């Protein structure tokens, strides 16, 4: 089905970066600047709601402070069309070739959609859930599109990518930081002990927020794939000996207890 007159993203250009993606450190990823047609990117940016919109889901605890929404019925036209396109066969097949495995869209946008971080927003290093709690498929690729116009580097919000401490199953060393830039996308493999989170505190003005759209792609579970159905967070350096934070991490990672930590 055709959602736009022409593809709003350069799929051929993405395909050509397969080797770069696979060889990246600390795990497979690529950044894609000017990811979407500029006019569409501006339309998408204008469709984000105010932070006090009651439809937004609020995460506010010691591990994460953000607003999110994954309800298709709430999205304005441009956002709705883009998400349909990103879940289309054409895009899924391009990303399948990049990842080297057959992918499937998550039309339910579980954990995806709009993400917004106001000043003071945070996201501790974490591993995404492995097995989709409803589909039984493994989350394989994460696509994050940054859509905050005029974002200043001093406002922070960079996404950090950490290496893995295998013995402790914990983030080891901050290897790469993706600075926030309007219409920049990050695509990465989430199955490689892919610790990621906000590495520089969000310090934007009160009337601004770090806005992004997230889409996830699934695959048949790999052999010996982790079974977690919720994200596994790590404490920051100042939290590592805090018993309340460590207990919160356990609850956040548990499918049955995770909802108790949300606002």
């Amino acid at each position: 089905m055709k959602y736009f007159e022409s593809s709003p993203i350069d799929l051929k250009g993405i395909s050509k970066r397969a080797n770069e993606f696979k060889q990246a450190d600390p795990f497979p990823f690529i950044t894609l600047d000017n990811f979407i047609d500029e006019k569409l990117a501006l339309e998408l940016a204008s469709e984000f709601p105010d932070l006090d919109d009651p439809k937004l889901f609020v995460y506010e605890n010691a591990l994460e402070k953000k607003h999110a929404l994954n309800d298709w019925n709430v999205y304005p036209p441009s956002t709705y069309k883009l998400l349909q396109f990103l879940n289309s066969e054409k895009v899924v097949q391009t990303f399948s070739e990049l990842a080297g495995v057959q992918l499937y869209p998550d039309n339910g946008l579980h954990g995806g959609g709009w993400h917004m971080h106001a000043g003071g927003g945070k996201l501790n290093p974490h591993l995404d859930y492995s097995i989709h709690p409803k589909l039984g498929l493994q989350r394989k690729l994460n696509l994050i599109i940054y859509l905050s116009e005029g974002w200043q580097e001093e406002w922070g919000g960079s996404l950090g990518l950490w290496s893995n401490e295998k013995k402790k199953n914990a983030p080891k060393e901050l290897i790469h930081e993706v600075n926030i830039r309007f219409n920049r996308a990050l695509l990465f493999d989430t199955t490689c002990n892919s610790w990621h989170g906000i590495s520089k505190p969000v310090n934007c003005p009160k009337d601004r927020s770090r806005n992004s759209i997230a889409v996830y792609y699934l695959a048949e579970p790999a052999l010996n794939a982790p079974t977690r159905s919720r994200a596994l967070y790590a404490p920051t350096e100042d939290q590592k000996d805090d018993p309340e934070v460590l207990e919160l991490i356990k609850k956040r990672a548990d499918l049955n207890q995770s909802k108790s930590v949300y606002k």
Side-chain angles (χ1 to χ4, degrees), residues 49-249:
D50 294 333
L51 285 164
D52 59 1
D53 191 310
K55 293 185 290 293
L56 292 170
F57 191 88
V58 180
Y59 298 78
E60 189 164 0
N61 56 64
L63 307 174
E64 52 192 333
K65 292 183 180 179
K66 68 178 182 179
H67 295 65
L69 191 143
N70 66 346
D71 186 345
W72 281 92
N73 292 321
V74 176
Y75 295 133
S78 291
T79 301
Y80 197 105
K81 289 178 183 177
L82 178 74
L83 287 167
Q84 288 276 31
F85 174 76
L86 292 174
N87 281 319
S88 68
E89 182 178 358
K90 181 187 297 186
V91 176
V92 171
Q93 284 307 117
T94 297
F95 289 170
S96 295
E97 292 168 9
L98 190 77
V101 64
Q102 181 60 53
L103 299 175
Y104 306 94
D106 178 12
N107 294 310
L109 293 177
H110 186 270
W114 276 334
H115 290 169
M116 305 174 70
H117 292 84
K122 67 180 303 182
L123 188 65
N124 276 29
H126 64 283
L127 299 177
D128 287 340
Y129 73 72
S130 176
I131 304 301
H132 194 291
K134 297 183 178 181
L135 298 177
L137 296 172
Q138 185 177 17
R139 182 185 281 186
K140 178 64 177 176
L141 290 188
N142 285 14
L143 173 67
I144 306 173
I145 310 165
Y146 298 105
L147 290 165
S148 297
E149 278 190 87
W151 190 263
Q152 304 298 309
E153 190 170 339
E154 59 265 28
W155 295 349
S158 299
L159 192 80
L161 310 179
W162 281 264
S163 59
N164 179 55
E165 178 60 65
K166 188 173 181 180
K167 291 182 178 180
K168 298 180 180 179
N169 192 28
K172 183 178 180 181
E173 181 182 357
L174 179 60
I175 301 296
H176 188 83
E177 289 182 292
V178 179
N179 292 328
I180 303 306
R181 182 180 297 172
F182 180 68
N183 201 11
R184 166 175 282 177
L186 170 67
L187 183 66
F188 69 95
D189 187 329
T190 190
T191 66
C192 302
N193 293 309
S194 310
W195 291 99
H196 61 286
I198 293 180
S199 54
K200 292 182 179 176
V202 180
N203 186 32
C204 59
K206 290 183 179 180
D207 61 341
R208 300 300 302 270
S209 56
R210 176 189 184 275
N211 299 339
S212 62
I213 291 176
V215 180
Y216 305 118
Y217 300 90
L218 312 174
E220 293 292 340
L223 186 66
N224 298 322
T227 58
R228 62 180 182 276
S229 293
R230 283 289 184 267
L232 175 63
Y233 280 78
T236 55
E237 188 64 26
D238 61 314
Q239 294 174 335
K240 64 181 184 180
D241 296 319
D242 188 327
E244 292 186 5
V245 171
L246 299 180
E247 180 62 23
L248 175 62
I249 288 172

